[in-house]
């Protein structure tokens, strides 16, 4: 089931008594979630992710705009008639019911031709429990489960009515780091197997990158960029997106163009096709550095971290105030740690330029 948002806006009246301005939690969202795909809504806390999800589920009504499931305009359809499955950060299981009862609960009150017998309900519950791999835990109470298992029960409960769309709001936030990794792989697998169109909300870029077919990067209620994870990472439209994605983060420097030459601080790092002399912001991805004694970029060496196959050179640069620069290079390269500085050449595709004030991407080429 494809999901389409068409100029969807949600405004809330301000909670601030002095300043009466409305909060625009979701500002003119237009995008299509292709059938059977998993889309990640990514952005910092307060950027409108949950509101966007609630608009799709029907728990909230848009101030303006339309939402379609397939070709059906469902903007005015109440949540229980939309055929959505919801999973939240806190699993919200019924503590006095067993796992099996929690999963069959949404099937209890089906009416008319949807009505199911107890045997059918249990059969369905076991099928779904098997899918999320908790079929061995059906007689337990939620308190007898780990956080990861509880979240699987919540996912099973969301799936048991065979929803047209699955909506997950930060479903992994309450899990510890290891379980988080494991459960996100599980969600990816379940989504692949069921092919249910899924919206996955997270503030964690790593999570969004690893799980999503498409990422929607949001800031203050406004969509910044939509694309495949790799596209958004390597081709960000602005500095916000560039900084939000990537671990270690992109190195950000004050730079300028002078007679076509790109300078980072005082370091000339390459001739460009840009003709206007201007100050700008330079971003370099950690994998964009090549260790080279002739390199134009001269950094102050702080140390070296071994990361298995790769090493991370930790350094600072006068044109990158407040930031430690991490450069990832192959561990076969030898770094002379007795020297105070380290020099780099730069990989052209990994150097991104941004407008100093707007932060918008400036396209260019090295020549
Ligand atoms: P996120 O899920 O990305 O953290 P939310 O969608 O919860 O963000 O919130 C987006 C913005 O809308 C925030 O500024 C938040 O304070 C505001 N907001 C959310 N729900 C309400 C509400 N019911 N009333 C007023 N403001 C709200
Ligand atoms: Mg939220």
């Amino acid at each position: 089931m494809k999901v389409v948002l068409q100029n969807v806006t949600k405004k809330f009246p301000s909670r601030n008594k002095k300043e009466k301005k409305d909060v625009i939690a979701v500002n003119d969202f237009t995008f299509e979630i292709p059938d059977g795909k998993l889309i990640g809504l990514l952005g910092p806390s307060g950027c409108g992710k949950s509101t966007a999800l609630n608009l799709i589920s029907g728990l909230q009504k848009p101030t303006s705009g339309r939402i379609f499931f397939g070709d059906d305009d469902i903007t005015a359809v109440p949540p229980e008639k939309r055929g959505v499955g919801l999973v939240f950060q806190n699993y919200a299981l019924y503590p006095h019911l067993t796992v099996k009862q929690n999963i069959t609960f949404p099937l209890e009150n089906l009416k008319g031709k949807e009505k199911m017998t107890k045997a059918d309900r249990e059969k369905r519950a076991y099928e779904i429990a098997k899918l999320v791999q908790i079929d061995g835990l059906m007689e337990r109470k939620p308190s007898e489960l780990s956080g990861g298992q509880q979240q699987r029960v919540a996912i099973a409960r969301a799936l048991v009515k065979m929803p047209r769309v699955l909506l997950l709001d930060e479903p992994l936030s309450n899990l510890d780091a290891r379980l988080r990794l494991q459960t996100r792989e599980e969600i990816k697998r379940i989504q692949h197997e069921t092919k249910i169109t899924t919206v996955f909300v997270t503030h964690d870029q790593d999570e969004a990158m690893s799980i999503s077919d498409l990422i929607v990067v949001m800031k203050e209620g406004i969509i910044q960029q939509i694309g495949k994870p790799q596209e958004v990472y390597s081709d960000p439209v602005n500095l916000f997106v560039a900084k939000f994605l990537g671990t270690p983060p992109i190195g950000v420097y004050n730079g300028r163009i002078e007679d076509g030459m790109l300078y980072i601080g005082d370091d000339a790092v390459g001739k460009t096709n840009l003709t206007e002399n201007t100050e700008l912001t330079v971003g370099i991805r950690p994998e964009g550095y090549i260790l080279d004694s002739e390199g134009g970029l001269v950094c102050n060496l702080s140390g070296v971290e071994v990361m298995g196959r790769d090493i991370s050179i930790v350094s600072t640069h006068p044109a990158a105030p407040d930031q430690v620069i991490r450069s990832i290079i192959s561990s076969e390269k030898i770094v002379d740690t007795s020297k105070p500085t380290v020099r780099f050449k730069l990989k052209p595709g990994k150097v991104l330029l941004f407008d100093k004030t707007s932060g918008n991407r400036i396209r260019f080429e090295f020549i």
Side-chain angles (χ1 to χ4, degrees), residues 49-50 169-170 201:
K49 303 180 297 295
S50 294
D169 194 348
E170 313 238 11
V201 162

Side-chain angles (χ1 to χ4, degrees), residues 44-289:
S45 175
C47 75
K49 303 180 297 295
S50 294
T51 305
L53 205 74
N54 291 342
L55 292 170
I56 298 173
S57 72
L59 292 177
Q60 289 178 329
K61 293 265 165 298
T63 311
S64 58
R66 290 165 171 282
I67 302 172
F68 297 84
F69 282 6
D71 294 326
D72 302 338
D73 184 339
I74 51 97
T75 316
V77 174
E80 65 278 7
K81 298 237 168 83
R82 289 191 184 190
V84 295
L86 282 164
V87 179
F88 298 102
Q89 175 177 340
N90 51 347
Y91 330 114
L93 302 175
Y94 301 108
H96 58 287
L97 300 183
T98 64
V99 168
K100 184 167 75 187
Q101 289 164 334
N102 265 285
I103 299 175
T104 54
F105 191 82
L107 304 175
E108 308 268 327
N109 295 314
L110 294 176
K111 302 254 157 37
K113 63 179 191 313
E114 287 195 309
K115 200 168 161 58
M116 294 173 79
T117 64
K118 184 154 189 274
D120 281 346
R121 291 199 296 268
E122 292 196 357
K123 184 162 169 278
R124 172 81 64 79
Y126 270 101
E127 282 163 14
I128 299 291
K130 218 175 160 75
L131 177 71
V132 304
Q133 297 177 347
I134 46 161
D135 46 317
L137 307 170
M138 295 298 258
E139 301 307 326
R140 292 206 199 170
K141 296 275 174 66
S143 61
E144 296 161 345
L145 302 176
S146 73
Q149 291 166 338
Q150 289 184 47
Q151 194 55 300
R152 283 168 199 238
V153 178
I155 293 168
R157 193 178 52 182
L159 288 173
V160 78
K161 274 170 84 178
M162 312 287 186
R164 304 195 285 175
V165 180
L166 180 63
L167 305 171
L168 306 155
D169 194 348
E170 313 238 11
L172 310 179
S173 298
N174 282 355
L175 306 180
D176 66 40
R178 209 171 56 87
L179 261 181
R180 204 151 58 221
L181 281 180
Q182 200 187 348
T183 313
R184 91 180 180 205
E185 290 310 314
E186 279 294 286
I187 291 176
K188 205 175 164 70
R189 177 186 64 77
I190 294 163
Q191 198 275 330
H192 270 263
E193 283 181 22
T194 58
K195 297 199 171 53
I196 296 176
T197 308
T198 300
V199 186
F200 185 100
V201 162
T202 177
H203 63 272
D204 181 333
Q205 57 90 22
D206 197 30
E207 206 167 280
M209 293 269 283
S210 72
I211 204 170
S212 312
D213 296 311
L214 279 176
I215 292 187
V216 179
V217 186
M218 299 167 52
K219 178 192 173 193
E220 293 166 10
I222 297 172
I223 294 177
Q224 305 292 301
Q225 188 166 2
I226 303 178
K228 294 194 177 124
Q230 195 54 41
E231 285 166 9
V232 181
Y233 176 81
S234 56
D235 201 9
V237 297
N238 60 33
L239 186 59
F240 173 82
V241 175
K243 283 166 83 170
F244 204 75
L245 272 72
T247 33
I250 193 165
V252 179
Y253 305 82
N254 296 317
R256 67 181 194 282
I257 299 289
E258 212 173 284
D259 300 329
M261 178 60 78
L262 172 61
Y263 288 88
I264 294 178
D266 295 330
D267 302 345
V269 296
K271 196 90 178 152
T272 70
N273 63 345
L274 298 175
T275 50
E276 197 188 332
N277 287 353
T278 174
E279 296 204 350
L280 36 69
T281 304
V282 186
I284 306 173
R285 288 289 181 199
E287 65 277 19
Y289 301 83

